[in-house]
Amino acid sequence: MRASFTLILGLPLFVAALILPFVVADSYVVHSAAMVLYFAYMASSWNFVCGYVGQVSLGHAAFSGIAGYASVLLFTGLGLSPWIGMILGGLLAAAISVPVGYATFRLKGPYFTLTSIAFAEIMRIWLENTDEFLGIPLKGAQGLTVPPVGGTSFLAFQFDGKLPYYFIILAMLVGVMVATHLMERSRLGFYLKAIRGNRDGAEALGIDPTRYCLTALALSAFLTGLGGAYYAQLFRYINPERNMGIDLSIDMAVMTIVGGQGTILGPTLGALVLHPVGEMVRATLGGHVLGLHLIIYGVVLMLAVLYFPKGIIAPLQRWLTPAPKTTVTAVTPKEVEGR
């Protein structure tokens, strides 16, 4: 039933995303749609571990920044293609996530969340105040700029228009959804659901919670890192506040929770609803009330938790895939005696 619902809702969304740039040729609209897909991808990467393990991380932006900086530095310093830099940056983020997760997964509830915030903020503040590290120019709060190669270059991840970037992030989003689908049906997915349901009970059955939670965290950090590298190449610029700020972590968490954590399409639905709202608020009222979009996010989150505790995907699932009708057959007293 769940797989059929994913196809019923996901296929029309995918077709709409596929034809949107050809129907609406405006570059601003294409860029805005690409940003919705980007946040859907980042929220899906966050959901990969937090939606299935049940631990709320507000430090995932650090993995985005780590991979983003790695891809830019490898391109500017060694001339390595950003495509390779994305993979290497994602692997670096995954490698760093393991020792961090080994220490923090022992904590539960708000302590884990606070520790994840501390990790991300330490990384951000260190980068903002470091101009050079081991001979590597980081340029502190100023950030790094990706030098243009002139014209379109696939290997350099540089294109004249927004259309190629749009289809790249669309492909990345489909990829992370497929990865989530495969993970759900793998041994890892079953173990993570057991750990989330009852950690002590899962451990009593021989499941090692630390091992499988670290595996999920490393995969999530890798995917988040790919998104961070994409963002850096899209804007050809990276700095700690933009790529590692707590705003990004909050966006990933809120979009997933509002859409429906622990589901394949939930993060995408959350991004589809919240990102356009946030952009409209920033454009119309952002100059008057700084951080107003975060206040709105908080209100939306409270309403979602109160009225849609399983996310907005739950009522959609009930509406699109109604429960099968059951028939009740009357039994006469004689039939009961015969049985």
Side-chain angles (χ1 to χ4, degrees), residues 211-259:
R211 174 187 172 186
Y212 292 104
C213 287
L214 285 178
T215 301
L217 177 62
L219 291 171
S220 178
F222 173 77
L223 295 169
T224 304
L226 294 184
Y230 166 85
Y231 189 88
Q233 300 302 325
L234 173 64
F235 289 95
R236 300 183 189 178
Y237 173 74
I238 185 172
N239 75 342
E241 183 63 32
R242 193 169 185 176
N243 289 72
M244 304 180 73
I246 193 171
D247 285 8
L248 178 58
S249 294
I250 292 174
D251 283 338
M252 288 188 278
V254 174
M255 288 174 183
T256 305
I257 294 171
V258 170

mmCIF file of all heavy atoms in Angstrom, residues 211-259:
data_model
loop_
_atom_site.group_PDB
_atom_site.id
_atom_site.type_symbol
_atom_site.label_atom_id
_atom_site.label_comp_id
_atom_site.label_asym_id
_atom_site.label_seq_id
_atom_site.Cartn_x
_atom_site.Cartn_y
_atom_site.Cartn_z
ATOM 1 N N ARG A 211 26.203 0.674 16.040
ATOM 2 C CA ARG A 211 26.733 0.320 14.722
ATOM 3 C C ARG A 211 25.805 0.766 13.604
ATOM 4 O O ARG A 211 26.234 1.419 12.640
ATOM 5 C CB ARG A 211 26.960 -1.185 14.650
ATOM 6 C CG ARG A 211 27.366 -1.680 13.264
ATOM 7 C CD ARG A 211 27.397 -3.195 13.227
ATOM 8 N NE ARG A 211 27.608 -3.691 11.858
ATOM 9 C CZ ARG A 211 27.551 -4.988 11.535
ATOM 10 N NH1 ARG A 211 27.288 -5.903 12.462
ATOM 11 N NH2 ARG A 211 27.746 -5.351 10.276
ATOM 12 N N TYR A 212 24.515 0.445 13.726
ATOM 13 C CA TYR A 212 23.583 0.741 12.643
ATOM 14 C C TYR A 212 23.210 2.221 12.597
ATOM 15 O O TYR A 212 22.965 2.765 11.516
ATOM 16 C CB TYR A 212 22.355 -0.150 12.749
ATOM 17 C CG TYR A 212 22.684 -1.593 12.467
ATOM 18 C CD1 TYR A 212 22.795 -2.525 13.484
ATOM 19 C CD2 TYR A 212 22.938 -2.013 11.165
ATOM 20 C CE1 TYR A 212 23.130 -3.845 13.218
ATOM 21 C CE2 TYR A 212 23.273 -3.324 10.889
ATOM 22 C CZ TYR A 212 23.373 -4.237 11.916
ATOM 23 O OH TYR A 212 23.722 -5.548 11.648
ATOM 24 N N CYS A 213 23.181 2.887 13.747
ATOM 25 C CA CYS A 213 22.936 4.324 13.750
ATOM 26 C C CYS A 213 24.108 5.073 13.107
ATOM 27 O O CYS A 213 23.903 6.043 12.371
ATOM 28 C CB CYS A 213 22.723 4.824 15.177
ATOM 29 S SG CYS A 213 21.129 4.355 15.898
ATOM 30 N N LEU A 214 25.331 4.614 13.368
ATOM 31 C CA LEU A 214 26.504 5.236 12.750
ATOM 32 C C LEU A 214 26.517 5.009 11.241
ATOM 33 O O LEU A 214 26.909 5.894 10.468
ATOM 34 C CB LEU A 214 27.790 4.678 13.371
ATOM 35 C CG LEU A 214 28.146 5.176 14.771
ATOM 36 C CD1 LEU A 214 29.414 4.494 15.269
ATOM 37 C CD2 LEU A 214 28.328 6.684 14.776
ATOM 38 N N THR A 215 26.089 3.832 10.816
ATOM 39 C CA THR A 215 26.009 3.560 9.370
ATOM 40 C C THR A 215 25.025 4.508 8.703
ATOM 41 O O THR A 215 25.320 5.097 7.647
ATOM 42 C CB THR A 215 25.563 2.106 9.132
ATOM 43 O OG1 THR A 215 26.490 1.211 9.755
ATOM 44 C CG2 THR A 215 25.504 1.803 7.638
ATOM 45 N N ALA A 216 23.860 4.684 9.323
ATOM 46 C CA ALA A 216 22.857 5.597 8.768
ATOM 47 C C ALA A 216 23.356 7.033 8.785
ATOM 48 O O ALA A 216 23.129 7.793 7.839
ATOM 49 C CB ALA A 216 21.547 5.473 9.554
ATOM 50 N N LEU A 217 24.056 7.423 9.853
ATOM 51 C CA LEU A 217 24.572 8.790 9.951
ATOM 52 C C LEU A 217 25.624 9.054 8.877
ATOM 53 O O LEU A 217 25.632 10.128 8.264
ATOM 54 C CB LEU A 217 25.167 9.035 11.337
ATOM 55 C CG LEU A 217 25.807 10.410 11.550
ATOM 56 C CD1 LEU A 217 24.767 11.520 11.381
ATOM 57 C CD2 LEU A 217 26.462 10.497 12.929
ATOM 58 N N ALA A 218 26.504 8.089 8.650
ATOM 59 C CA ALA A 218 27.532 8.264 7.622
ATOM 60 C C ALA A 218 26.906 8.410 6.240
ATOM 61 O O ALA A 218 27.318 9.261 5.443
ATOM 62 C CB ALA A 218 28.504 7.080 7.655
ATOM 63 N N LEU A 219 25.884 7.600 5.940
ATOM 64 C CA LEU A 219 25.187 7.722 4.656
ATOM 65 C C LEU A 219 24.488 9.071 4.540
ATOM 66 O O LEU A 219 24.535 9.731 3.491
ATOM 67 C CB LEU A 219 24.170 6.589 4.511
ATOM 68 C CG LEU A 219 24.746 5.178 4.340
ATOM 69 C CD1 LEU A 219 23.630 4.142 4.436
ATOM 70 C CD2 LEU A 219 25.480 5.048 3.017
ATOM 71 N N SER A 220 23.848 9.512 5.631
ATOM 72 C CA SER A 220 23.163 10.800 5.632
ATOM 73 C C SER A 220 24.158 11.948 5.452
ATOM 74 O O SER A 220 23.895 12.897 4.704
ATOM 75 C CB SER A 220 22.393 10.977 6.937
ATOM 76 O OG SER A 220 21.750 12.230 6.986
ATOM 77 N N ALA A 221 25.302 11.872 6.143
ATOM 78 C CA ALA A 221 26.319 12.921 6.022
ATOM 79 C C ALA A 221 26.881 12.972 4.607
ATOM 80 O O ALA A 221 27.134 14.053 4.062
ATOM 81 C CB ALA A 221 27.440 12.675 7.030
ATOM 82 N N PHE A 222 27.075 11.800 3.992
ATOM 83 C CA PHE A 222 27.577 11.753 2.619
ATOM 84 C C PHE A 222 26.606 12.440 1.665
ATOM 85 O O PHE A 222 26.997 13.277 0.833
ATOM 86 C CB PHE A 222 27.800 10.303 2.207
ATOM 87 C CG PHE A 222 28.170 10.127 0.754
ATOM 88 C CD1 PHE A 222 29.456 10.406 0.319
ATOM 89 C CD2 PHE A 222 27.236 9.693 -0.164
ATOM 90 C CE1 PHE A 222 29.798 10.255 -1.020
ATOM 91 C CE2 PHE A 222 27.570 9.538 -1.504
ATOM 92 C CZ PHE A 222 28.858 9.816 -1.932
ATOM 93 N N LEU A 223 25.321 12.103 1.785
ATOM 94 C CA LEU A 223 24.304 12.694 0.912
ATOM 95 C C LEU A 223 24.166 14.193 1.158
ATOM 96 O O LEU A 223 24.029 14.986 0.221
ATOM 97 C CB LEU A 223 22.970 11.988 1.129
ATOM 98 C CG LEU A 223 22.919 10.511 0.719
ATOM 99 C CD1 LEU A 223 21.642 9.855 1.218
ATOM 100 C CD2 LEU A 223 23.042 10.367 -0.790
ATOM 101 N N THR A 224 24.198 14.594 2.434
ATOM 102 C CA THR A 224 24.133 16.017 2.759
ATOM 103 C C THR A 224 25.335 16.756 2.193
ATOM 104 O O THR A 224 25.219 17.881 1.700
ATOM 105 C CB THR A 224 24.066 16.217 4.283
ATOM 106 O OG1 THR A 224 22.955 15.486 4.814
ATOM 107 C CG2 THR A 224 23.909 17.684 4.646
ATOM 108 N N GLY A 225 26.507 16.110 2.252
ATOM 109 C CA GLY A 225 27.709 16.708 1.689
ATOM 110 C C GLY A 225 27.605 16.935 0.188
ATOM 111 O O GLY A 225 28.049 17.963 -0.333
ATOM 112 N N LEU A 226 27.004 15.985 -0.523
ATOM 113 C CA LEU A 226 26.797 16.167 -1.964
ATOM 114 C C LEU A 226 25.939 17.404 -2.231
ATOM 115 O O LEU A 226 26.208 18.179 -3.160
ATOM 116 C CB LEU A 226 26.122 14.932 -2.565
ATOM 117 C CG LEU A 226 26.908 13.615 -2.567
ATOM 118 C CD1 LEU A 226 26.104 12.538 -3.286
ATOM 119 C CD2 LEU A 226 28.275 13.774 -3.221
ATOM 120 N N GLY A 227 24.909 17.584 -1.404
ATOM 121 C CA GLY A 227 24.057 18.765 -1.555
ATOM 122 C C GLY A 227 24.808 20.051 -1.278
ATOM 123 O O GLY A 227 24.613 21.060 -1.969
ATOM 124 N N GLY A 228 25.680 20.043 -0.269
ATOM 125 C CA GLY A 228 26.475 21.228 0.036
ATOM 126 C C GLY A 228 27.431 21.585 -1.085
ATOM 127 O O GLY A 228 27.619 22.765 -1.412
ATOM 128 N N ALA A 229 28.030 20.574 -1.701
ATOM 129 C CA ALA A 229 28.936 20.811 -2.832
ATOM 130 C C ALA A 229 28.157 21.350 -4.031
ATOM 131 O O ALA A 229 28.642 22.248 -4.744
ATOM 132 C CB ALA A 229 29.663 19.526 -3.194
ATOM 133 N N TYR A 230 26.973 20.821 -4.270
ATOM 134 C CA TYR A 230 26.130 21.332 -5.358
ATOM 135 C C TYR A 230 25.807 22.803 -5.131
ATOM 136 O O TYR A 230 25.896 23.628 -6.065
ATOM 137 C CB TYR A 230 24.841 20.514 -5.445
ATOM 138 C CG TYR A 230 23.773 21.174 -6.292
ATOM 139 C CD1 TYR A 230 23.753 21.003 -7.679
ATOM 140 C CD2 TYR A 230 22.793 21.990 -5.714
ATOM 141 C CE1 TYR A 230 22.783 21.620 -8.457
ATOM 142 C CE2 TYR A 230 21.825 22.609 -6.492
ATOM 143 C CZ TYR A 230 21.827 22.423 -7.859
ATOM 144 O OH TYR A 230 20.880 23.034 -8.631
ATOM 145 N N TYR A 231 25.449 23.163 -3.919
ATOM 146 C CA TYR A 231 25.088 24.543 -3.592
ATOM 147 C C TYR A 231 26.261 25.486 -3.846
ATOM 148 O O TYR A 231 26.085 26.593 -4.392
ATOM 149 C CB TYR A 231 24.651 24.618 -2.137
ATOM 150 C CG TYR A 231 24.055 25.933 -1.715
ATOM 151 C CD1 TYR A 231 22.695 26.174 -1.859
ATOM 152 C CD2 TYR A 231 24.845 26.936 -1.157
ATOM 153 C CE1 TYR A 231 22.134 27.384 -1.462
ATOM 154 C CE2 TYR A 231 24.292 28.148 -0.759
ATOM 155 C CZ TYR A 231 22.942 28.359 -0.915
ATOM 156 O OH TYR A 231 22.388 29.556 -0.531
ATOM 157 N N ALA A 232 27.459 25.053 -3.453
ATOM 158 C CA ALA A 232 28.643 25.886 -3.667
ATOM 159 C C ALA A 232 28.914 26.106 -5.148
ATOM 160 O O ALA A 232 29.291 27.205 -5.574
ATOM 161 C CB ALA A 232 29.857 25.236 -2.995
ATOM 162 N N GLN A 233 28.708 25.078 -5.963
ATOM 163 C CA GLN A 233 28.943 25.207 -7.404
ATOM 164 C C GLN A 233 27.827 25.999 -8.077
ATOM 165 O O GLN A 233 28.068 26.703 -9.062
ATOM 166 C CB GLN A 233 29.065 23.819 -8.043
ATOM 167 C CG GLN A 233 30.208 22.978 -7.491
ATOM 168 C CD GLN A 233 31.562 23.654 -7.652
ATOM 169 O OE1 GLN A 233 31.808 24.343 -8.646
ATOM 170 N NE2 GLN A 233 32.444 23.446 -6.687
ATOM 171 N N LEU A 234 26.612 25.907 -7.559
ATOM 172 C CA LEU A 234 25.483 26.648 -8.127
ATOM 173 C C LEU A 234 25.711 28.151 -8.016
ATOM 174 O O LEU A 234 25.509 28.903 -8.973
ATOM 175 C CB LEU A 234 24.183 26.253 -7.420
ATOM 176 C CG LEU A 234 22.928 27.056 -7.770
ATOM 177 C CD1 LEU A 234 22.546 26.862 -9.231
ATOM 178 C CD2 LEU A 234 21.767 26.666 -6.863
ATOM 179 N N PHE A 235 26.145 28.589 -6.833
ATOM 180 C CA PHE A 235 26.360 30.016 -6.608
ATOM 181 C C PHE A 235 27.816 30.437 -6.843
ATOM 182 O O PHE A 235 28.120 31.625 -6.783
ATOM 183 C CB PHE A 235 25.933 30.391 -5.184
ATOM 184 C CG PHE A 235 24.455 30.368 -4.971
ATOM 185 C CD1 PHE A 235 23.825 29.249 -4.442
ATOM 186 C CD2 PHE A 235 23.677 31.454 -5.325
ATOM 187 C CE1 PHE A 235 22.458 29.222 -4.255
ATOM 188 C CE2 PHE A 235 22.301 31.441 -5.139
ATOM 189 C CZ PHE A 235 21.688 30.319 -4.607
ATOM 190 N N ARG A 236 28.682 29.447 -7.072
ATOM 191 C CA ARG A 236 30.114 29.686 -7.280
ATOM 192 C C ARG A 236 30.718 30.491 -6.133
ATOM 193 O O ARG A 236 31.588 31.334 -6.307
ATOM 194 C CB ARG A 236 30.353 30.402 -8.612
ATOM 195 C CG ARG A 236 29.848 29.609 -9.812
ATOM 196 C CD ARG A 236 30.137 30.284 -11.123
ATOM 197 N NE ARG A 236 29.460 29.605 -12.227
ATOM 198 C CZ ARG A 236 29.506 29.999 -13.488
ATOM 199 N NH1 ARG A 236 30.210 31.068 -13.814
ATOM 200 N NH2 ARG A 236 28.859 29.332 -14.426
ATOM 201 N N TYR A 237 30.235 30.188 -4.953
ATOM 202 C CA TYR A 237 30.700 30.900 -3.755
ATOM 203 C C TYR A 237 30.322 30.080 -2.533
ATOM 204 O O TYR A 237 29.271 29.422 -2.504
ATOM 205 C CB TYR A 237 30.051 32.288 -3.673
ATOM 206 C CG TYR A 237 30.341 33.027 -2.395
ATOM 207 C CD1 TYR A 237 31.590 33.598 -2.158
ATOM 208 C CD2 TYR A 237 29.362 33.153 -1.415
ATOM 209 C CE1 TYR A 237 31.849 34.275 -0.978
ATOM 210 C CE2 TYR A 237 29.602 33.837 -0.231
ATOM 211 C CZ TYR A 237 30.860 34.402 -0.016
ATOM 212 O OH TYR A 237 31.121 35.059 1.164
ATOM 213 N N ILE A 238 31.169 30.133 -1.527
ATOM 214 C CA ILE A 238 30.865 29.431 -0.276
ATOM 215 C C ILE A 238 31.453 30.207 0.888
ATOM 216 O O ILE A 238 32.560 30.752 0.797
ATOM 217 C CB ILE A 238 31.419 27.987 -0.296
ATOM 218 C CG1 ILE A 238 30.998 27.228 0.970
ATOM 219 C CG2 ILE A 238 32.940 27.970 -0.453
ATOM 220 C CD1 ILE A 238 31.339 25.752 0.947
ATOM 221 N N ASN A 239 30.699 30.311 1.963
ATOM 222 C CA ASN A 239 31.219 30.877 3.217
ATOM 223 C C ASN A 239 30.553 30.154 4.384
ATOM 224 O O ASN A 239 29.544 29.464 4.204
ATOM 225 C CB ASN A 239 31.004 32.389 3.273
ATOM 226 C CG ASN A 239 29.565 32.772 3.552
ATOM 227 O OD1 ASN A 239 28.652 31.976 3.384
ATOM 228 N ND2 ASN A 239 29.349 34.006 3.962
ATOM 229 N N PRO A 240 31.102 30.267 5.588
ATOM 230 C CA PRO A 240 30.573 29.475 6.717
ATOM 231 C C PRO A 240 29.113 29.767 7.039
ATOM 232 O O PRO A 240 28.342 28.851 7.318
ATOM 233 C CB PRO A 240 31.496 29.868 7.875
ATOM 234 C CG PRO A 240 32.756 30.336 7.224
ATOM 235 C CD PRO A 240 32.332 30.990 5.960
ATOM 236 N N GLU A 241 28.723 31.042 7.028
ATOM 237 C CA GLU A 241 27.355 31.391 7.413
ATOM 238 C C GLU A 241 26.333 30.848 6.421
ATOM 239 O O GLU A 241 25.264 30.381 6.799
ATOM 240 C CB GLU A 241 27.227 32.917 7.506
ATOM 241 C CG GLU A 241 25.860 33.391 7.976
ATOM 242 C CD GLU A 241 25.515 32.931 9.379
ATOM 243 O OE1 GLU A 241 26.437 32.803 10.208
ATOM 244 O OE2 GLU A 241 24.326 32.692 9.644
ATOM 245 N N ARG A 242 26.680 30.903 5.158
ATOM 246 C CA ARG A 242 25.731 30.523 4.118
ATOM 247 C C ARG A 242 25.590 29.004 4.003
ATOM 248 O O ARG A 242 24.493 28.504 3.735
ATOM 249 C CB ARG A 242 26.197 31.101 2.786
ATOM 250 C CG ARG A 242 25.169 31.063 1.684
ATOM 251 C CD ARG A 242 25.664 31.895 0.508
ATOM 252 N NE ARG A 242 24.657 31.997 -0.534
ATOM 253 C CZ ARG A 242 24.800 32.735 -1.630
ATOM 254 N NH1 ARG A 242 25.902 33.430 -1.804
ATOM 255 N NH2 ARG A 242 23.857 32.782 -2.529
ATOM 256 N N ASN A 243 26.667 28.278 4.183
ATOM 257 C CA ASN A 243 26.654 26.829 3.964
ATOM 258 C C ASN A 243 26.650 26.008 5.243
ATOM 259 O O ASN A 243 26.427 24.799 5.190
ATOM 260 C CB ASN A 243 27.855 26.411 3.119
ATOM 261 C CG ASN A 243 27.739 26.856 1.678
ATOM 262 O OD1 ASN A 243 27.861 28.035 1.386
ATOM 263 N ND2 ASN A 243 27.486 25.918 0.777
ATOM 264 N N MET A 244 26.938 26.642 6.394
ATOM 265 C CA MET A 244 27.030 25.883 7.636
ATOM 266 C C MET A 244 26.198 26.495 8.756
ATOM 267 O O MET A 244 26.287 26.047 9.900
ATOM 268 C CB MET A 244 28.494 25.781 8.079
ATOM 269 C CG MET A 244 29.418 25.185 7.042
ATOM 270 S SD MET A 244 31.129 25.082 7.581
ATOM 271 C CE MET A 244 31.040 23.727 8.753
ATOM 272 N N GLY A 245 25.412 27.527 8.450
ATOM 273 C CA GLY A 245 24.621 28.180 9.486
ATOM 274 C C GLY A 245 23.508 27.296 10.009
ATOM 275 O O GLY A 245 23.037 26.375 9.332
ATOM 276 N N ILE A 246 23.067 27.609 11.214
ATOM 277 C CA ILE A 246 22.022 26.782 11.843
ATOM 278 C C ILE A 246 20.699 26.908 11.092
ATOM 279 O O ILE A 246 19.837 26.014 11.170
ATOM 280 C CB ILE A 246 21.844 27.176 13.328
ATOM 281 C CG1 ILE A 246 20.998 26.118 14.059
ATOM 282 C CG2 ILE A 246 21.241 28.557 13.456
ATOM 283 C CD1 ILE A 246 20.943 26.298 15.545
ATOM 284 N N ASP A 247 20.530 27.994 10.317
ATOM 285 C CA ASP A 247 19.296 28.147 9.524
ATOM 286 C C ASP A 247 19.088 26.960 8.588
ATOM 287 O O ASP A 247 17.961 26.471 8.423
ATOM 288 C CB ASP A 247 19.359 29.426 8.692
ATOM 289 C CG ASP A 247 19.136 30.672 9.538
ATOM 290 O OD1 ASP A 247 19.092 30.536 10.768
ATOM 291 O OD2 ASP A 247 18.995 31.762 8.964
ATOM 292 N N LEU A 248 20.178 26.494 7.976
ATOM 293 C CA LEU A 248 20.072 25.371 7.041
ATOM 294 C C LEU A 248 19.644 24.100 7.764
ATOM 295 O O LEU A 248 18.792 23.350 7.269
ATOM 296 C CB LEU A 248 21.407 25.160 6.326
ATOM 297 C CG LEU A 248 21.481 23.976 5.349
ATOM 298 C CD1 LEU A 248 20.422 24.101 4.265
ATOM 299 C CD2 LEU A 248 22.875 23.888 4.721
ATOM 300 N N SER A 249 20.214 23.863 8.941
ATOM 301 C CA SER A 249 19.836 22.676 9.719
ATOM 302 C C SER A 249 18.370 22.741 10.126
ATOM 303 O O SER A 249 17.648 21.736 10.085
ATOM 304 C CB SER A 249 20.725 22.554 10.970
ATOM 305 O OG SER A 249 22.062 22.311 10.626
ATOM 306 N N ILE A 250 17.912 23.941 10.521
ATOM 307 C CA ILE A 250 16.512 24.106 10.912
ATOM 308 C C ILE A 250 15.602 23.866 9.713
ATOM 309 O O ILE A 250 14.556 23.215 9.829
ATOM 310 C CB ILE A 250 16.279 25.509 11.510
ATOM 311 C CG1 ILE A 250 16.999 25.622 12.859
ATOM 312 C CG2 ILE A 250 14.798 25.794 11.675
ATOM 313 C CD1 ILE A 250 16.957 27.010 13.466
ATOM 314 N N ASP A 251 16.003 24.385 8.545
ATOM 315 C CA ASP A 251 15.207 24.164 7.339
ATOM 316 C C ASP A 251 15.034 22.668 7.065
ATOM 317 O O ASP A 251 13.925 22.196 6.796
ATOM 318 C CB ASP A 251 15.877 24.828 6.133
ATOM 319 C CG ASP A 251 15.665 26.328 6.101
ATOM 320 O OD1 ASP A 251 14.697 26.796 6.728
ATOM 321 O OD2 ASP A 251 16.466 27.028 5.467
ATOM 322 N N MET A 252 16.139 21.920 7.120
ATOM 323 C CA MET A 252 16.082 20.489 6.850
ATOM 324 C C MET A 252 15.156 19.781 7.831
ATOM 325 O O MET A 252 14.331 18.937 7.448
ATOM 326 C CB MET A 252 17.489 19.879 6.912
ATOM 327 C CG MET A 252 18.378 20.248 5.746
ATOM 328 S SD MET A 252 19.933 19.317 5.743
ATOM 329 C CE MET A 252 20.904 20.271 6.892
ATOM 330 N N ALA A 253 15.293 20.126 9.122
ATOM 331 C CA ALA A 253 14.501 19.450 10.148
ATOM 332 C C ALA A 253 13.016 19.783 10.040
ATOM 333 O O ALA A 253 12.162 18.897 10.050
ATOM 334 C CB ALA A 253 15.041 19.826 11.534
ATOM 335 N N VAL A 254 12.704 21.082 9.925
ATOM 336 C CA VAL A 254 11.301 21.500 9.912
ATOM 337 C C VAL A 254 10.587 20.979 8.666
ATOM 338 O O VAL A 254 9.446 20.505 8.741
ATOM 339 C CB VAL A 254 11.208 23.037 10.004
ATOM 340 C CG1 VAL A 254 9.766 23.494 9.837
ATOM 341 C CG2 VAL A 254 11.743 23.521 11.340
ATOM 342 N N MET A 255 11.252 21.052 7.518
ATOM 343 C CA MET A 255 10.621 20.566 6.287
ATOM 344 C C MET A 255 10.306 19.079 6.378
ATOM 345 O O MET A 255 9.256 18.618 5.910
ATOM 346 C CB MET A 255 11.526 20.844 5.085
ATOM 347 C CG MET A 255 11.589 22.303 4.698
ATOM 348 S SD MET A 255 12.791 22.624 3.394
ATOM 349 C CE MET A 255 12.672 24.417 3.246
ATOM 350 N N THR A 256 11.212 18.324 6.988
ATOM 351 C CA THR A 256 10.983 16.882 7.119
ATOM 352 C C THR A 256 9.871 16.579 8.104
ATOM 353 O O THR A 256 9.000 15.742 7.845
ATOM 354 C CB THR A 256 12.276 16.180 7.568
ATOM 355 O OG1 THR A 256 13.329 16.506 6.659
ATOM 356 C CG2 THR A 256 12.094 14.675 7.605
ATOM 357 N N ILE A 257 9.873 17.272 9.244
ATOM 358 C CA ILE A 257 8.864 17.019 10.274
ATOM 359 C C ILE A 257 7.479 17.428 9.779
ATOM 360 O O ILE A 257 6.492 16.709 9.976
ATOM 361 C CB ILE A 257 9.234 17.764 11.576
ATOM 362 C CG1 ILE A 257 10.518 17.174 12.165
ATOM 363 C CG2 ILE A 257 8.102 17.682 12.587
ATOM 364 C CD1 ILE A 257 11.090 17.961 13.325
ATOM 365 N N VAL A 258 7.395 18.587 9.127
ATOM 366 C CA VAL A 258 6.093 19.053 8.617
ATOM 367 C C VAL A 258 5.606 18.140 7.491
ATOM 368 O O VAL A 258 4.427 17.793 7.421
ATOM 369 C CB VAL A 258 6.202 20.511 8.123
ATOM 370 C CG1 VAL A 258 4.944 20.921 7.368
ATOM 371 C CG2 VAL A 258 6.434 21.449 9.301
ATOM 372 N N GLY A 259 6.513 17.742 6.602
ATOM 373 C CA GLY A 259 6.117 16.875 5.496
ATOM 374 C C GLY A 259 5.801 15.457 5.933
ATOM 375 O O GLY A 259 4.837 14.854 5.449
#
